[in-house]
Each structure stands twice: as C-alpha cells, then as structure tokens.
Amino acid sequence: MKHRIVVLGAGYAGAFAAGNLARRLSPADTEITVVNAAPDFVERMRLHQLASGQDLASRELADVFAGTGVRLRLARVTGIDPEHRSVAVTGEDGDGEVAYDTLLYALGSSVAHHDVPGAAECAFDVAGRSSALRLRERLAGLGGGGTVVVVGEGLTGIETATELAESRPGLSIALAARGELGAWLSPKARRHLRGAFDRLGVTVHEHTAVAAVEPTRVITADGRSVPADVTVWSAGFAVHPMAAAAGLEVSGTGRIVVDSSMRSVSHPDVYAAGDSAYAIGENSRPLPMSCASAGLTNMRATAAIIARLTGGEVPATGLKYFGNHISLGRRDAIFQMVDGDVRSKSWFLGGRTAARLKSGVLKGADWGIAHPTFGLPKRRQRLAPAPGRTAARAAA
C-alpha cells in the first residue's frame, strides 16, 4: 500500500509543500492529497491590493496541481482524529473522512478581534479573499469621499493604509497604532515610513488602543471618539482551535508546538507549517506569523518528511528570520534586515528599488504556485522499507 500524505490547506505553505513532496517522492510509493475549502489559490500577500480596487488574476487549484499527481479534495476541515489518523471534512459531497499516514497541517490563520466589542460585527479585514472583497465593495459604496480607520500598526495595517491612500486618494485614511509607528524599524527606515505616510496623507494616531468599534466610529481606550465610515481591523491573527481540540500539543495561542523539523512534539505523524506552527527560531523566539515564516517552515517540514520516509538524514540547520518587506503603495516599499536577535539593522532599502524587489518576490511566489513541482524531475526517491509502518496502518 502507498504511504498516504495529507496536506491541510493550500495557501503558500501548503501549496508549496505539496508540490515539493510530489516532485521528490515517487508516486509508486506515495499518495499525496491536498484538502482545501476554496477552489482558488489566494494570494494573501496581495489582499490589501484587492481590497483597494485592483484586480488579481485567479488561479484554480485544479489547474495548479494538474499533472503533478497531487490529489485535490475541495472540502472544509472540521476535525482531526490523530489516534485513528483521519481528518473529518465537509464539502459539496457531504461529510466524509480522509485517512493519512503523515499529516501536514497548514491551515493558516484568520483575523483576531481580541474580544474587542463591535470589532467582529462592524469592522472589515483583509485576512481572506471574501473579506477583502467585502471591504472593496464597501469602499466603492462610499463614492469619492469618506473616512477609513485602519486599526493595527503591524505589516498588514501599514500596507493596507498606504495602499488605500494611494489607490483611493479621495478617502481620508487614518491608522490607529497601540504604540509608535514603525517602532521596530531602524531610525532611517522609520523616517522613510513616516515620510510615506505624510506623502500619502495618512493620519497616524499613535499610542491609541481601540476599545470598541461602532458603525461610524471607533472608541479608544481613553474614551476618545474617532470618526470612521469604515473600520479595517488588522490588529493581529489567530489560528483555528481545531488542533487543540484534537489533543495536539499547542502553544497558548493555539499554534501546534513543533520541533526543529516541524514535527509535532506530541504526535510524530503530524507536521505543521505556516501560521499554524509554533516554531522556535535560531534566536530562541517563536517565528512570527508571516509569509517568510511560511516559506521557512514548509521547506523544513517537507525536507524532514522526505528524509524520514526515504531513510535519509533530517536536515539540522537553524531557522533564521531575515527581515520584513513592507509595501507602501505600488511605488514605494521598505526592506528591513534584522540581526540574530530580530533587532533591525541600521541598513535598509527603501523607495522604488525596494518596491521593485517586493514586486519580484510576489511574482516569484506566483510562479512557484503555478509550477508547484518545477516541472517534475527525472528521478524521484523511493520510500525506505518500513514493515512497522504497514503494520501500524493495518491496525488503525
């Protein structure tokens, strides 16, 4: 019987991982299935562009995986049973189960409202394609004017505020930051960021925690009222509690605790990648939820899976976070390198050159999704004999 590898989620981490596994493992020994709720790949790094009114080309996952040997199951994951190595799903065909021998959990994250009153009911977000389109429709309904408050000074908040300001100059854009804008950046990069906000006319409310969201305003922790025809919530992300409910060891935020090979510390048949993984980097700190982390963790997970199945040596290199790349509209950006302690280095790249670099990163990611197996190599690895694995599956 073939070894069944199931990948949950077809975002950046899941799609790249499935393609890499299909490229390197022989189809004579393995069966790779990707489970994803939506039929299209979502370019999450560009959803702020979609919300601003720009059109993004859609890419169907059926076309992405055509000819690769990867099976696509369009369904929503509703539960995991690690004891019996099965995943419960529901889709157009009703409820069902997908059995696995090795599971790669890459379901990503969604917006975190942090129990702020009104945030879930009244605010918009760009954490998913449907929510970005909902925001786009609302902005279009404002006509030529209106006020928009973006809550959150992280990468998503900065990119959303500047994209909206550039694409929709008739709107009055403001950003509510709990601390200082760009506090983690180097001094020169921080000045560049502030210059971009000034150039685009984005108002910044620093040291402003939002305590409540209402249809036409946000209420700050100190009782002030900030007018907002539209509130965009970008104050963090959260993972689904499914992993915790399944009995996997998770962090306080619900992310799956993994070792250096992205293997669950509680269930050796389960791996995690992307935002779902609680992975510790070389600096002894957890990797942040980001596309960069998705790349690091999916490569580490697939390398470990392949090594263990084929009898190879699991790579022992560290997980190093290199920095942040922040879009400031279409013609400006910041690329900030960090040191081993994730402190910003004094050098940074900004302006059009950084914007072209970011555009290249996005195009490279898009090409990789369109060619998940990079054309399939002439030689793919066979699985090492493992009688114990077959016996364990028969008993499951």
Side-chain angles (χ1 to χ4, degrees):
M1 295 178 66
K2 294 183 179 182
H3 188 89
R4 300 162 298 184
I5 302 174
V6 174
V7 180
L8 303 183
Y12 290 107
F16 279 121
N20 195 29
L21 290 167
R23 180 167 62 94
R24 303 205 26 213
L25 292 172
S26 171
D29 298 327
T30 55
E31 177 183 290
I32 302 169
T33 301
V34 173
V35 181
N36 198 67
D40 299 329
F41 174 77
V42 176
E43 287 188 90
R44 191 165 181 178
M45 289 191 292
R46 299 182 64 189
L47 288 179
H48 57 289
Q49 295 176 239
L50 182 66
S52 73
Q54 300 170 51
D55 293 324
L56 306 181
S58 62
R59 194 177 296 282
E60 292 189 9
L61 291 172
D63 295 334
V64 167
F65 293 120
T68 66
V70 174
R71 299 182 178 187
L72 176 64
R73 178 75 178 266
L74 293 178
R76 181 171 58 86
V77 180
T78 58
I80 303 171
D81 185 350
E83 182 179 350
H84 296 94
R85 288 188 300 231
S86 67
V87 177
V89 300
T90 184
E92 293 183 355
D93 300 329
D95 297 340
E97 289 189 350
V98 181
Y100 68 84
D101 297 302
T102 297
L103 180 71
L104 177 56
Y105 190 109
L107 289 176
S109 62
S110 59
V111 65
H113 294 109
H114 304 299
D115 296 323
V116 173
E121 298 79 11
C122 302
F124 295 78
D125 67 78
V126 293
R129 180 179 175 84
S130 60
S131 58
L133 288 173
R134 178 171 165 264
L135 172 57
R136 174 178 175 145
E137 182 179 2
R138 176 69 179 105
L139 294 175
L142 293 177
T147 60
V148 178
V149 173
V150 179
V151 180
E153 70 275 25
L155 305 185
T156 302
I158 291 172
E159 292 194 331
T160 301
T162 52
E163 195 75 47
L164 293 179
E166 181 179 272
S167 299
R168 296 180 173 273
L171 297 177
S172 176
I173 310 293
L175 183 141
R178 290 182 63 91
E180 179 185 353
L181 179 66
W184 74 94
L185 295 171
S186 64
K188 290 182 180 179
R190 200 178 309 144
R191 286 196 294 271
H192 185 95
L193 175 62
R194 289 185 177 277
F197 269 58
D198 290 342
R199 172 174 55 82
L200 293 168
V202 179
T203 301
V204 182
H205 301 283
E206 292 185 310
H207 306 290
T208 300
V210 173
V213 179
E214 297 180 359
T216 59
R217 63 177 183 169
V218 298
I219 308 300
T220 67
D222 58 5
R224 289 182 293 120
S225 174
V226 180
D229 295 309
V230 176
T231 299
V232 183
W233 193 266
S234 58
F237 299 99
V239 298
H240 197 282
M242 187 186 312
L248 296 171
E249 183 171 337
V250 299
S251 67
T253 56
R255 301 165 74 187
I256 298 173
V257 180
V258 295
D259 61 18
S260 60
S261 69
M262 301 302 108
R263 195 181 203 178
S264 165
V265 298
S266 61
H267 293 76
D269 295 326
V270 178
Y271 293 76
D275 288 353
S276 304
Y278 185 79
I280 303 300
E282 286 185 355
N283 55 13
S284 300
R285 300 177 184 176
L287 292 179
M289 292 183 180
S290 69
C291 186
S293 296
L296 289 172
T297 54
N298 98 74
M299 289 189 292
R300 179 60 55 80
T302 53
I305 291 171
I306 292 165
R308 290 191 172 109
L309 292 181
T310 60
E313 185 174 345
V314 177
T317 55
L319 292 167
K320 186 174 182 180
Y321 198 79
F322 291 97
N324 300 123
H325 205 157
I326 313 166
S327 294
L328 304 173
R330 296 297 86 217
R331 295 180 293 276
D332 194 3
I334 290 174
F335 183 60
Q336 176 69 72
M337 298 288 289
V338 299
D339 60 20
D341 293 322
V342 200
R343 293 176 302 194
S344 294
K345 296 182 178 180
S346 59
W347 178 89
F348 87 102
L349 184 66
R352 289 183 178 271
T353 301
R356 286 193 290 267
L357 179 59
K358 179 64 178 286
S359 177
V361 169
L362 293 173
K363 290 178 180 178
D366 182 62
W367 187 93
I369 292 298
H371 305 82
T373 58
F374 293 85
L376 291 175
K378 296 180 180 179
R379 180 180 179 183
R380 282 178 278 177
Q381 300 179 59
R382 301 295 300 269
L383 268 60
R389 184 168 61 238
T390 303
R393 177 170 25 177

